[in-house]
Amino acid sequence: MIGGRATGPLSERKATCRAGSNIAFIKYWGVAGDFEDLNIPLNNSISMTLADAHTTTTVAWDDSGCLQEDTVAIDGVELVGPSAERTVAHLDRLRAIAGVSYRARVVSNNNFPMASGIASSASGFAALTVAGAAALGLHLDATRLSAVARQGSGSASRSLFGGFVEWERGWGGESEAKRGESESNSLLDSRSVARQLHSEDHWALRDVIAIVSTGAKRVSSSSGHRLAATSPLNAARTGCVGAWLETVRRAIAERDLCLLGPILELDALAMHGVMMTSTPSLLYWQPGTLEVLQAVRTWREDEGVPVYFTIDAGPNVHLICEAEAAAEVERRVGALPAVGRVLTSGPGTGPELLDGHLI
Amino acid sequence: MIGGRATGPLSERKATCRAGSNIAFIKYWGVAGDFEDLNIPLNNSISMTLADAHTTTTVAWDDSGCLQEDTVAIDGVELVGPSAERTVAHLDRLRAIAGVSYRARVVSNNNFPMASGIASSASGFAALTVAGAAALGLHLDATRLSAVARQGSGSASRSLFGGFVEWERGWGGESEAKRGESESNSLLDSRSVARQLHSEDHWALRDVIAIVSTGAKRVSSSSGHRLAATSPLNAARTGCVGAWLETVRRAIAERDLCLLGPILELDALAMHGVMMTSTPSLLYWQPGTLEVLQAVRTWREDEGVPVYFTIDAGPNVHLICEAEAAAEVERRVGALPAVGRVLTSGPGTGPELLDGHLI
């Protein structure tokens, strides 16, 4: 039995959720200093929820009191000590909202490699939030769930919705004192949440993910967010994001890849410029990353292939194109020596509760 | 005979100069809009002149009037049409200063690959300026020669001096009208010139150059300088450079690599952040670039090897270390699969006139 450490029979409240990861077109990078623990971002972000890169999570709360501590297994590996802390902290949020002290068993599986630029924390914390809340019988709408998921992982707030999604910064210049009188108020405060711009049927866009490295990152993106403000380039990027968001919203509304693409690349490169110049410097790129970036530029500029890139906090490259170009892009990117695996996804729905369970 | 197109016997005024390239610790990237033709930079820069990466150039002016046009041969290849224009424009400057109309034959050889991140234009235009002026019998001091060289290639202004050199922006908010009443005034105006901070004997620093690509760049750095202002990150970088210059001056004065190194990497990454986010985007890095960058970080952080990187407008990586670490750094970098060739240089002297000639 995976994830079990119970000493007696368990009485369980159980639910399973599958949630898609998402790929951001305008990136979330950096948290506001006063609100670090709440993951209030420095800027709005816009993403597409992915149909085919998802996490399936079962949360089983033990209301018998037999389970002494939370157990967490991801992709078949039981997490112990510090590696489970982030999940346990999120279970604490759900316990605080429900007013219970049940421990939980969590089993979670990704259908893609973790910690390598595909946002496993986005789909993971979205699925954990939805399954955990459902199993506790909490009646929270998607907006409230987005607020809760955000506190586990900022980008998870966007995975609460399908299709094309904007996460609004929400909180502005409020002082620390004003942010909420009680802990539970803060947990459900819905100022900084995602909303759907368009459903998954709006635009047949594809994210062709070139996986150049499956190794774990040296610095997790959750730590990296705390470093954004140390970069001399950070304020310049966040100062531009307002205009870029407007362009991206319009590009999505009009299904205009030629409008979307250049901003997509610009913001990804600006974000990595910020990362590389933070202290300590975050250099997420690997040789294979550059092989793909250079190839994409050549294909588009010399051969007219309509494809653009974006890169999350990792070495892998997301190639964004329309459905009709996807096969050609997959063929080309799969032939690059540095690319180990190619995973393609269109826009997907929001999280779904499933009938079966992983435990 | 290379470079000859004369129809009759030539009467020649000839000189040969060898000038070192240089590696910038604080980069020159971007020219001031009002002064594009004069190469007035957006910020001061600091470099080390290289002893072992140099250009040797012979300029032979034909005062007989037989030579119909300038001829230019670089590394054994005769340049024709647009590829010779930049050299011809520089010969025009020397002609204007001397008040002559002689055509010239120019033969120039580099001891390193051109257009790949080692500043061949720095050593090339320094050598061209010194040889050309000497052959015309112009009596110009190094500061005046630096001003002239700057107009051929900004970084060439620094190669007029040996050791550790700072190029001062000089011109500030002057209006276009004030910049000089006559053309020859502008040519010799010495406000934006380099000066020596310390001689080549001051600090036994080494530049271990990892050559990962010898291919020519898609966008030359002289075109790239015009694009800096299109990057949303440019003003943030130039706004920080003042503080970085101060640190670098102090680090060189005190021979403190631990002080110099982090700023070296920071400014190189900031400059490439600007390049990547300009319009059009300049992505000079290749897969091998990242292989070297990641390796340097690992060697330093995990194994304590005292080495830092910087990168010019190209894919090659310059590893900066002290003389006693150079052999170890060379051995390590030479073993990386992506590194084709390693070239090491210490600080060198300023340009030297040679007795022999290439033609």
Side-chain angles (χ1 to χ4, degrees):
Chain A
M1 181 184 68
I2 295 172
R5 276 198 204 148
T7 52
L10 300 180
S11 163
E12 292 185 325
R13 298 153 178 265
K14 200 188 280 193
T16 298
C17 173
R18 185 178 62 215
S21 181
N22 64 72
I23 179 67
F25 297 160
I26 295 292
K27 302 295 186 189
Y28 157 49
W29 189 249
V31 287
D34 283 353
F35 304 104
E36 275 196 5
D37 55 327
L38 293 177
N39 280 349
I40 307 299
L42 293 176
N43 57 267
N44 287 21
S45 51
I46 294 180
S47 60
M48 178 174 90
T49 299
L50 299 177
D52 300 303
H54 49 72
T55 302
T56 304
T57 299
T58 296
V59 179
W61 298 100
D62 164 41
D63 61 10
S64 72
C66 297
L67 194 65
Q68 297 297 304
E69 57 179 9
D70 298 316
T71 68
V72 184
I74 301 185
D75 290 337
V77 176
E78 190 152 350
L79 305 187
V80 287
S83 61
E85 273 171 16
R86 206 169 152 198
T87 306
V88 170
H90 203 62
L91 295 170
D92 287 341
R93 291 183 190 104
L94 294 167
R95 280 187 278 259
I97 293 166
V100 300
S101 59
Y102 313 148
R103 301 292 113 187
R105 290 187 297 137
V106 175
V107 175
S108 188
N109 292 327
N110 298 297
N111 76 333
F112 57 90
M114 280 176 68
S116 58
I118 300 174
S120 61
S121 66
S123 50
F125 279 91
L128 179 68
T129 303
V130 173
L136 285 170
L138 293 170
H139 296 289
L140 300 172
D141 62 15
T143 299
R144 289 286 163 116
L145 289 166
S146 173
V148 177
R150 183 200 76 229
Q151 294 164 73
S153 166
S155 58
S157 69
R158 297 188 306 247
S159 277
L160 258 291
F161 297 89
F164 302 86
V165 178
E166 178 160 358
W167 170 21
E168 290 180 4
R169 176 168 195 241
W171 290 20
E174 290 93 340
S175 70
E176 185 80 7
K178 208 190 147 203
R179 78 183 204 187
E181 277 69 40
S182 75
E183 183 64 8
S184 65
N185 275 1
S186 284
L187 287 168
L188 290 172
D189 188 292
S190 299
R191 277 173 288 184
S192 184
V193 291
R195 66 186 173 93
Q196 189 181 63
L197 296 173
H198 301 276
S199 77
E200 60 274 18
D201 305 323
H202 172 70
W203 191 9
L205 218 49
R206 294 290 179 268
D207 179 10
V208 180
I209 307 166
I211 298 180
V212 298
S213 167
T214 53
K217 295 182 274 192
R218 275 171 93 103
V219 178
S220 73
S221 48
S222 56
S223 315
H225 282 293
R226 273 76 191 157
L227 302 178
T230 67
S231 163
L233 307 180
N234 185 53
R237 176 184 167 262
T238 57
C240 286
V241 161
W244 298 345
L245 285 162
E246 215 170 288
T247 304
V248 167
R249 272 184 224 116
R250 188 154 64 87
I252 294 172
E254 298 172 2
R255 302 181 193 87
D256 185 343
L257 184 63
C258 294
L259 189 61
L260 176 66
I263 302 291
L264 199 71
E265 296 195 352
L266 180 60
D267 187 47
L269 294 170
M271 179 180 74
H272 281 271
V274 168
M275 290 164 161
M276 292 187 291
T277 56
S278 69
T279 300
S281 166
L282 302 174
L283 200 52
Y284 285 117
W285 295 355
Q286 293 292 338
T289 311
L290 260 291
E291 188 175 322
V292 180
L293 299 193
Q294 293 288 7
V296 168
R297 288 268 168 96
T298 302
W299 299 337
R300 189 173 72 235
E301 290 166 13
D302 297 351
E303 302 179 65
V305 182
V307 58
Y308 296 84
F309 63 74
T310 184
I311 320 160
D312 276 352
N316 297 334
V317 185
H318 296 252
L319 282 64
I320 307 297
C321 61
E322 293 189 280
E324 53 267 34
E328 173 69 11
V329 169
E330 282 171 0
R331 188 187 64 71
R332 285 173 180 254
V333 80
L336 294 176
V339 175
R341 191 176 152 197
V342 178
L343 197 156
T344 298
S345 180
T349 65
E352 290 176 42
L353 286 166
L354 306 180
D355 287 334
H357 300 302
L358 299 176
I359 35 178
Chain B
M1 182 182 68
I2 294 172
R5 275 198 204 147
T7 52
L10 300 179
S11 164
E12 292 184 326
R13 296 153 178 265
K14 201 187 279 192
T16 298
C17 174
R18 184 179 62 214
S21 181
N22 65 73
I23 180 66
F25 298 159
I26 295 292
K27 302 296 187 188
Y28 157 48
W29 189 249
V31 287
D34 282 353
F35 304 104
E36 275 197 4
D37 55 327
L38 293 178
N39 280 349
I40 307 298
L42 294 176
N43 57 267
N44 286 22
S45 51
I46 294 180
S47 60
M48 177 174 89
T49 299
L50 299 177
D52 300 302
H54 49 71
T55 303
T56 304
T57 300
T58 296
V59 180
W61 298 100
D62 165 41
D63 60 10
S64 72
C66 296
L67 194 65
Q68 297 298 304
E69 57 179 8
D70 299 316
T71 67
V72 184
I74 300 185
D75 289 336
V77 176
E78 190 151 350
L79 305 187
V80 288
S83 59
E85 273 171 16
R86 206 171 153 197
T87 306
V88 170
H90 202 63
L91 295 171
D92 286 342
R93 290 182 191 105
L94 294 168
R95 279 187 279 259
I97 293 166
V100 301
S101 58
Y102 314 148
R103 301 293 114 186
R105 291 188 297 139
V106 175
V107 176
S108 188
N109 291 327
N110 298 297
N111 76 332
F112 58 91
M114 280 177 68
S116 57
I118 301 175
S120 61
S121 68
S123 50
F125 279 91
L128 179 68
T129 303
V130 174
L136 284 169
L138 293 169
H139 296 288
L140 300 173
D141 62 14
T143 300
R144 290 286 162 116
L145 289 166
S146 173
V148 177
R150 183 200 75 229
Q151 295 165 72
S153 166
S155 56
S157 68
R158 295 188 306 247
S159 278
L160 259 291
F161 297 89
F164 301 86
V165 179
E166 177 159 359
W167 170 21
E168 291 180 3
R169 176 169 195 241
W171 291 20
E174 290 91 341
S175 70
E176 185 79 8
K178 208 190 147 204
R179 77 184 204 187
E181 278 69 40
S182 75
E183 183 64 9
S184 64
N185 276 358
S186 286
L187 287 168
L188 291 173
D189 187 292
S190 299
R191 277 174 288 183
S192 184
V193 292
R195 67 185 172 94
Q196 188 180 64
L197 297 174
H198 300 277
S199 78
E200 59 275 17
D201 305 322
H202 172 71
W203 191 9
L205 218 51
R206 294 290 179 267
D207 179 9
V208 179
I209 308 167
I211 299 180
V212 298
S213 167
T214 52
K217 296 181 274 193
R218 276 171 92 104
V219 177
S220 73
S221 48
S222 54
S223 316
H225 282 293
R226 272 78 192 155
L227 302 177
T230 68
S231 163
L233 307 181
N234 185 53
R237 175 184 168 262
T238 57
C240 287
V241 161
W244 298 345
L245 285 162
E246 216 170 287
T247 304
V248 167
R249 270 182 226 118
R250 188 155 62 89
I252 294 172
E254 298 171 2
R255 302 181 193 88
D256 185 344
L257 184 63
C258 293
L259 188 62
L260 177 66
I263 302 290
L264 199 72
E265 295 194 353
L266 180 60
D267 187 47
L269 294 170
M271 179 182 75
H272 281 272
V274 167
M275 290 164 162
M276 292 188 290
T277 56
S278 69
T279 301
S281 166
L282 302 175
L283 200 51
Y284 285 117
W285 295 355
Q286 293 292 338
T289 311
L290 260 291
E291 189 175 321
V292 180
L293 299 192
Q294 294 288 8
V296 168
R297 288 267 167 97
T298 302
W299 299 337
R300 190 174 69 235
E301 291 166 13
D302 297 352
E303 303 179 65
V305 182
V307 57
Y308 296 84
F309 63 73
T310 183
I311 320 160
D312 276 352
N316 297 333
V317 185
H318 296 252
L319 281 65
I320 307 297
C321 60
E322 293 189 279
E324 53 268 34
E328 173 69 11
V329 169
E330 282 172 0
R331 188 187 64 71
R332 286 173 180 254
V333 80
L336 294 176
V339 174
R341 192 177 151 194
V342 178
L343 198 154
T344 299
S345 180
T349 64
E352 291 177 39
L353 286 166
L354 306 181
D355 287 335
H357 300 302
L358 299 176
I359 35 177

